Amino acid sequence: MIKTIQIDGVHTKMNKDLDLYVHKKIGTLDRFISRKSRESVKAEVKLKEAKGKDKSKRFTCEVIVKLPKEKITVHEKAASFLAAIDMSENKLKVRLKKYKEKHGDPHLHRRIINRLKNPR
């Protein structure tokens, strides 16, 4: 679980259900981060509500994850906050997987390759 998640609401009031939903979705993404860097991960979620000219509401979710060697930003718009958070979560999963492959432990890759070469 990502321990430090800062949630900000711009032009909207935050309620407890929305806060719990963000913690449930964004907070559990620590499994896509290497174990060494899980302690120093910080996430910042910005939820914005904007009204269009045709009286329709647009909801925006911006997630900024600060990692030891990189900063990952995801920005999504949708018809509701929940949909925007879900889409942001999916994009963030992909980017965190790439981060883990790039900055992960090289010894793990060697162990897996050795197991494939020498089956017991």
Side-chain angles (χ1 to χ4, degrees):
M1 190 84 161
I2 297 176
K3 294 178 183 175
T4 54
I5 299 177
Q6 181 182 356
I7 304 170
D8 296 326
V10 179
H11 301 296
T12 186
K13 292 182 180 178
M14 295 295 297
N15 58 14
K16 194 165 194 151
D17 294 333
L18 195 57
D19 193 291
L20 289 174
Y21 192 76
V22 169
H23 279 283
K24 177 184 167 189
K25 290 293 188 172
I26 305 300
T28 57
L29 293 177
D30 67 334
R31 61 185 164 183
F32 298 106
I33 303 168
S34 64
R35 288 185 180 166
K36 290 180 181 178
S37 57
R38 284 182 189 172
E39 295 294 324
S40 60
V41 174
K42 295 180 183 176
E44 186 177 333
V45 180
K46 296 180 183 178
L47 301 171
K48 299 176 187 175
E49 180 179 349
K51 294 182 182 177
K53 292 181 180 180
D54 57 347
K55 304 290 183 189
S56 65
K57 293 183 179 180
R58 296 290 292 174
F59 299 95
T60 305
C61 176
E62 182 180 2
V63 181
I64 302 166
V65 179
K66 296 175 184 172
L67 298 161
K69 297 178 182 176
E70 204 171 315
K71 181 177 169 183
I72 298 174
T73 305
V74 175
H75 186 82
E76 280 298 324
K77 292 182 182 180
S80 71
F81 276 133
L82 301 180
I85 293 168
D86 287 340
M87 292 181 350
S88 297
E89 178 201 17
N90 291 335
K91 273 191 175 180
L92 203 55
K93 276 183 189 178
V94 173
R95 292 198 181 164
L96 287 174
K97 284 180 185 178
K98 288 180 183 179
Y99 173 82
K100 190 174 181 178
E101 287 175 5
K102 184 177 179 182
H103 300 289
D105 187 16
H107 300 292
L108 176 68
H109 299 296
R110 281 191 223 138
R111 279 187 260 150
I112 292 172
I113 290 171
N114 286 336
R115 280 189 187 168
L116 292 174
K117 286 182 182 177
N118 301 323
R120 294 181 187 179

